[in-house]
Amino acid sequence: QVARPADTGELVTIVQAAGSSSRISDATIEVLNTQDALVATLTPDSTGRATQELKQGVYVVRVSHPRYAAEARRIQVVPRQTTEIRANLRAGTSSPVERAVNSGVSAVKKALKF
């Protein structure tokens, strides 16, 4: 057990594909404070796991990947404790441009009865 400062805790994020046990190692994990300021950007290791020491408080953890829909969670970091979250990413896209294009293509297909 590593000694932690009295006002910090550890965040452990595990990223996997929804409905399977496949871990996603090339996702981007962003940790933001309650004012939406970026606190940390993490990349999971080969097991889909990333850790970060954080000061106590409330954060938003946003996990994204180009081939999956993004997921965001609000968490509370407690001093000298580990907060673990599992992000189960679903097929889709995190890119707003790609979502807009796909949405437009769907509308055209529907209008033209494809």
Side-chain angles (χ1 to χ4, degrees):
Q1 183 82 321
V2 176
R4 292 190 183 126
D7 65 342
T8 67
E10 182 179 46
L11 167 66
V12 175
T13 306
I14 299 168
V15 185
Q16 60 188 48
S20 81
S21 59
S22 323
R23 301 297 169 98
I24 301 171
S25 60
D26 56 345
T28 299
I29 303 166
E30 296 173 305
V31 181
L32 302 107
N33 66 18
T34 54
Q35 290 80 39
D36 284 334
L38 186 63
V39 175
T41 302
L42 312 171
T43 302
D45 63 17
S46 62
T47 67
R49 179 184 170 103
T51 61
Q52 179 70 38
E53 201 70 30
L54 296 169
K55 288 191 180 250
Q56 71 180 26
V58 176
Y59 297 89
V60 172
V61 177
R62 186 170 51 207
V63 182
S64 60
H65 188 283
R67 292 189 319 266
Y68 298 91
E71 183 176 317
R73 294 218 195 127
R74 192 175 181 97
I75 62 157
Q76 173 86 38
V77 173
V78 179
R80 297 186 178 171
Q81 291 188 19
T82 298
T83 301
E84 182 178 294
I85 63 170
R86 291 181 180 269
N88 294 306
L89 300 184
R90 300 191 183 291
T93 179
S94 293
S95 163
V97 171
E98 198 169 324
R99 281 196 311 267
V101 168
N102 289 342
S103 177
V105 168
S106 295
V108 170
K109 283 182 177 179
K110 187 175 180 180
L112 297 176
K113 298 184 174 149
F114 275 95

